Amino acid sequence: MKQFTKAIALILSLALLLCFPVGASAAEPENATIDTAAKGSLTIYKVDLTNAEKDGVWDSSYVSTGVYDQTVNDTLNSYALKDVEFTYLRVADVVQFTESTADGADFDHVETLYGISKTAGADLLSALGLANGANRYENADQSDKLNASNYYYQSHVLTSALKSALEANATTVKNALEAYITAGGGTAMPLTNTYGKTKAENLDLGLYLVVETKVPEMVTSTCNPFFISLPMTSGDGNGWIYDVTVYPKNLTGDPTLDKTLRENKDDTGKHNGTSGITDGYAADGTASDGDVVDYQIVSNLPSITSASTYLTAYTFADTLSKGITYNKNDVVLEFFTDAACTDSIAKWTETDGKFTVTYSTADTGESKMTIAMTAEGLKEINTSKAVYSEASMVNSGYSDCTLRITYAATISSSADVVYGDSGNPNEVVLTWKRTSQDSYDTLKDAAKVYTYGLELTKVFSDGKGDFSKVQFVMQNKADGYFVKAALDEDSGIYYVTDHVTDKKDATRFVPISGDGKGKIIVKGLEDDEYIITEIKTADGYTLLKNAISVVITRNEGSASATVDGNQVNMLTDNGSANTLAPLSVVNTSGFDLPATGDRGVWMYGLAGILLMAGSAACIVITTRKKSK
């Protein structure tokens, strides 16, 4: 009996090969036989062992003794996972099988077997690679004391088969067992609480299959399905455990989110290349009015290992600052196997029906766009075979792939836009869920668009010139366009409205008079070199000999400016530093002709008369000569 007890302890301990029991109440040693009238219970503490091991507070080599360990609970309490659901199903009877010798004269041996229904357990056995009773304990088939409608298995055969099946194709086996337990009427345990705990009580004795059926958003891989025998022999072999406690392992992790932008190539020629995650995209950029800005949102999808980890929501809420508007109907989603976005496996447009795009305006004036996956899109993300073949699949769908979203927006200069170093943040928030619908999480990222301006101060050297007679034109030297702008009469500010190629269509900037000076304030300029040309000035004053070069540059999160190569301190505007590049233009009066006065005029008249008289005399003389 002593040897028999040890053998039973070993066999039943193998039933927890894929999870480790930490605590339980064991029967006293004198109660070494199973109380068939008793009931069992299963307590699960769900913890994030991935981060526990990462933080160095948990040693994965820990071997459970089968005795409750308070230290383990205390250590892992802060890594509890809430909102996890487990489902259990009783899949086998536990029987004691006595096998006699061929002549029946003596007992050969006694052992514990697990009887699985040939019909109700067919899908279970198939998922384990034991279809049609493969590897069963065939000697049990001859027993007239066992149920002939069952196949009988030794515990190590079942646990080894489950382990091998999961190693060969974890996703397929997990999905098969999850489907089997649901179809078989499995019982869902309550969602784990804030301590990661859930419990099932008053359970009939037998062999149970336990699978993880719902997970919160951060769980990337469910624990492997496992068998639990109620009761099970304690680790020290001294009795039976009717109330089993386990700590199944989970892998956790979050998706990533990154929003970047670039100026559209066709509009400004600011970037080179045609595609790719690094093709001119950056966390910030500058633009002028009318510029088209390309945006991309890149997210590395989380792992999807089975139906329990399917994504049930993957939604992007995008916001553009005031003055920036969506071009609309141009959103494209593309999936890649690599983080560099070079190996494309799927490309969706709005007409494919796999995601929806809705636009709105916030109460504060910002433009909003929501991109939400439809049921059809989620199905493809969760189950597509485009990446993993059925034969070697370890993950599911677009698990761990990179999603890239692209769209465009247009900059419109106005008082709503923030100019200078404060920039215009364009935020995106990702919300994702898995099968535990009450649990969700968000990620946030933002890109910024910067735009600037200049403040030209016009001065007449004698303070007497007419500012309304002065005109300037402005050309972007880098891109070759002339600036067109509209004057806001209330503020006296020119806001850029367009880029034109013909100089005759460019705006003639006229200084606004005040305090003996003229001001031209232009807002809505990208960082570039601008050529400022004075094409007209007041009567009696001298135009500038040459055009003025103004260069606005953004580096290391701040802007700077030069005027004709000389560094200037940019002006602050509405609390935003480095907004306006300042310059002054002074016109001096022209050179005067000598003063004449009244006497001079009389003399000029007399001289003219004398000249005319002399001419007439000459004509007369000539005529007379011809007559002779």
Side-chain angles (χ1 to χ4, degrees), residues 6-178:
K6 290 182 177 180
I8 293 298
L10 175 61
I11 292 171
L12 293 178
S13 294
L14 288 173
L16 293 179
L17 185 63
L18 299 177
C19 61
F20 47 97
V22 176
S25 58
E28 294 298 323
E30 58 267 22
N31 297 323
T33 58
I34 295 177
D35 179 2
T36 57
K39 297 290 185 179
S41 72
L42 173 63
T43 301
I44 299 176
Y45 284 93
K46 189 64 172 177
V47 293
D48 178 5
L49 288 185
T50 299
N51 282 314
E53 292 173 4
K54 178 181 177 182
D55 294 343
V57 301
W58 181 255
D59 183 1
S60 59
S61 64
Y62 172 82
V63 178
S64 172
T65 63
V67 179
Y68 181 79
D69 190 338
Q70 183 65 47
T71 302
V72 173
N73 274 356
D74 293 341
T75 301
L76 297 178
N77 185 57
S78 60
Y79 295 90
L81 286 178
K82 185 176 178 289
D83 294 331
V84 177
E85 179 190 84
F86 286 91
T87 301
Y88 62 87
L89 180 66
R90 188 177 182 278
V91 296
D93 297 322
V94 182
V95 300
Q96 183 168 296
F97 175 61
T98 302
E99 185 176 3
S100 62
T101 56
D103 57 7
D106 197 3
F107 292 116
D108 186 16
H109 72 273
V110 180
E111 67 175 291
T112 300
L113 297 177
Y114 297 88
I116 299 177
S117 171
K118 296 178 181 179
T119 54
D123 289 340
L124 168 63
L125 294 174
S126 178
L128 300 181
L130 302 175
N132 300 317
N135 297 339
R136 69 187 183 276
Y137 195 75
E138 296 183 2
N139 290 349
D141 295 345
Q142 310 303 320
S143 175
D144 57 0
K145 296 180 180 180
L146 299 179
N147 190 340
S149 63
N150 292 341
Y151 290 125
Y152 289 91
Y153 285 90
Q154 296 166 308
S155 61
H156 71 276
V157 174
L158 294 176
T159 54
S160 295
L162 178 58
K163 183 174 183 288
S164 298
L166 289 167
E167 289 175 347
N169 196 327
T171 295
T172 300
V173 174
K174 283 184 176 182
N175 282 334
L177 294 180
E178 289 168 15

Side-chain angles (χ1 to χ4, degrees), residues 301-599:
L301 296 173
S303 296
I304 304 168
T305 57
S306 69
S308 294
T309 61
Y310 282 174
L311 294 171
T312 58
Y314 214 71
T315 303
F316 298 85
D318 195 76
T319 303
L320 296 180
S321 296
K322 291 188 289 186
I324 308 175
T325 56
Y326 295 101
N327 287 4
K328 297 184 178 181
N329 302 317
D330 62 349
V331 178
V332 175
L333 275 62
E334 193 164 7
F335 297 85
F336 301 84
T337 60
D338 62 320
C341 295
T342 59
D343 182 20
S344 177
I345 54 174
K347 189 173 185 178
W348 301 348
T349 64
E350 293 181 50
T351 59
D352 294 330
K354 296 179 181 179
F355 65 93
T356 60
V357 181
T358 55
Y359 298 94
S360 61
T361 302
D363 294 338
T364 50
E366 293 89 350
S367 298
K368 300 180 74 66
M369 175 179 68
T370 301
I371 301 171
M373 305 301 170
T374 63
E376 182 181 354
L378 287 169
K379 181 179 180 182
E380 181 169 331
I381 290 174
N382 290 324
T383 65
S384 174
K385 301 300 188 297
V387 182
Y388 305 98
S389 67
E390 185 67 31
S392 61
M393 183 163 39
V394 293
N395 283 346
S396 177
Y398 296 149
S399 173
D400 298 317
C401 290
T402 301
L403 167 62
R404 180 177 182 238
I405 301 174
T406 57
Y407 67 88
T410 301
I411 309 299
S412 300
S413 297
S414 68
D416 291 331
V417 174
V418 176
Y419 300 89
D421 283 351
S422 294
N424 299 272
N426 304 309
E427 183 181 88
V428 61
V429 177
L430 166 63
T431 301
W432 78 99
K433 296 181 180 180
R434 293 197 191 256
T435 47
S436 191
Q437 290 292 311
D438 292 335
S439 182
Y440 69 93
D441 206 348
T442 60
L443 280 176
K444 183 185 296 185
D445 196 37
K448 278 189 177 183
V449 174
Y450 295 90
T451 187
Y452 305 96
L454 64 82
E455 182 177 298
L456 187 155
T457 301
K458 177 67 177 179
V459 178
F460 291 107
S461 58
D462 57 5
K464 297 179 181 180
D466 184 354
F467 292 108
S468 66
K469 303 295 185 181
V470 178
Q471 294 182 2
F472 289 87
V473 293
M474 185 183 307
Q475 183 183 24
N476 183 307
K477 183 178 180 180
D479 297 331
Y481 65 79
F482 289 90
V483 175
K484 192 171 184 178
L487 177 64
D488 180 72
E489 298 289 348
D490 295 332
S491 64
I493 297 174
Y494 285 93
Y495 290 102
V496 177
T497 59
D498 202 359
H499 305 158
V500 294
T501 57
D502 197 328
K503 183 177 180 179
K504 66 179 176 58
D505 297 323
T507 294
R508 269 54 178 169
F509 293 96
V510 178
I512 306 300
S513 177
D515 299 328
K517 298 180 180 179
K519 291 282 187 181
I520 297 176
I521 299 176
V522 183
K523 290 185 176 181
L525 302 175
E526 58 191 309
D527 63 341
D528 261 331
E529 180 179 2
Y530 294 89
I531 304 300
I532 316 298
T533 305
E534 187 178 39
I535 61 172
K536 188 176 181 180
T537 188
D539 296 343
Y541 291 86
T542 305
L543 289 168
L544 293 178
K545 176 183 178 183
N546 298 315
I548 305 169
S549 168
V550 176
V551 179
I552 301 174
T553 305
R554 178 170 181 79
N555 285 315
E556 301 298 329
S558 182
S560 60
T562 62
V563 176
D564 281 342
N566 299 306
Q567 193 76 35
V568 296
N569 293 322
M570 296 186 74
L571 306 176
T572 297
D573 180 73
N574 292 325
S576 180
N578 299 317
T579 299
L580 304 172
L583 68 154
S584 296
V585 175
V586 179
N587 278 163
T588 57
S589 55
F591 293 99
D592 296 330
L593 292 173
T596 55
D598 294 339
R599 179 179 298 178

